Amino acid sequence: MTPEALATCHARAFAGTGRAWSAEEFATLLDSAFVFISGDARAFVLGRVIADEAEVLTLATDPDHRRNGLARACLSAFEVVARARGATMAFLEVAEDNPPALALYDAAGYRVSARRTGYYARSQGPKVDALILHKTLD
């Protein structure tokens, strides 16, 4: 997928909830040998593995394709690649006011390990805490 396609999906997925990433930001991340994508233009996980730790940098699903299991499939594919690259633990952060994402991660076995107070700015209302989640990749 091109940085432009990633940015388009990301903007649609995060419309009204936060700052979408630009094509330039995706291009910069994709220049790293540690970064990889699982998914397609409908839904994707952008992640990286450094040493034995994997990180979900972002997960996005186009609103027209939600509730079809695509995010679950992308997350599962991310974990397969992360394991193949030597990761034994995966991490991510998610806004605490995102119930669909929290349900996805819980069902996939991710557990809360920390909180970043007031981490996400919103266009309206107060900042929202980020929850740091982790999962052992066995």
Side-chain angles (χ1 to χ4, degrees):
M1 282 184 29
T2 66
E4 293 76 18
L6 293 167
T8 297
C9 179
H10 201 262
R12 288 184 45 78
F14 288 92
T17 63
R19 187 182 74 81
W21 295 6
S22 70
E24 292 77 23
E25 289 169 306
F26 280 109
T28 297
L29 286 165
L30 291 169
D31 279 343
S32 170
F34 301 108
V35 175
F36 61 96
I37 300 168
S38 298
D40 58 30
R42 299 169 300 160
F44 68 88
V45 171
L46 183 74
R48 69 178 157 208
V49 173
I50 298 176
D52 63 347
E53 292 184 355
E55 180 182 10
V56 172
L57 299 171
T58 192
L59 182 153
T61 303
D62 185 293
D64 291 342
H65 299 284
R66 289 183 179 153
R67 309 291 305 157
N68 291 314
L70 295 174
R72 184 175 355 106
C74 290
L75 186 59
S76 179
F78 159 81
E79 292 173 2
V80 169
V81 173
R83 280 187 205 97
R85 290 183 174 209
T88 59
M89 183 72 69
F91 295 90
L92 61 91
E93 62 187 37
V94 60
E96 73 172 351
D97 68 347
N98 189 341
L102 291 169
L104 169 71
Y105 297 133
D106 182 64
Y110 287 81
R111 299 297 173 249
V112 175
S113 57
R115 172 183 300 267
R116 290 188 174 134
T117 304
Y119 186 75
Y120 291 108
R122 295 291 190 238
S123 56
Q124 297 181 14
K127 291 184 175 183
V128 176
D129 291 356
L131 300 177
I132 309 303
L133 307 182
H134 72 279
K135 176 181 179 178
T136 301
L137 300 176
D138 35 20

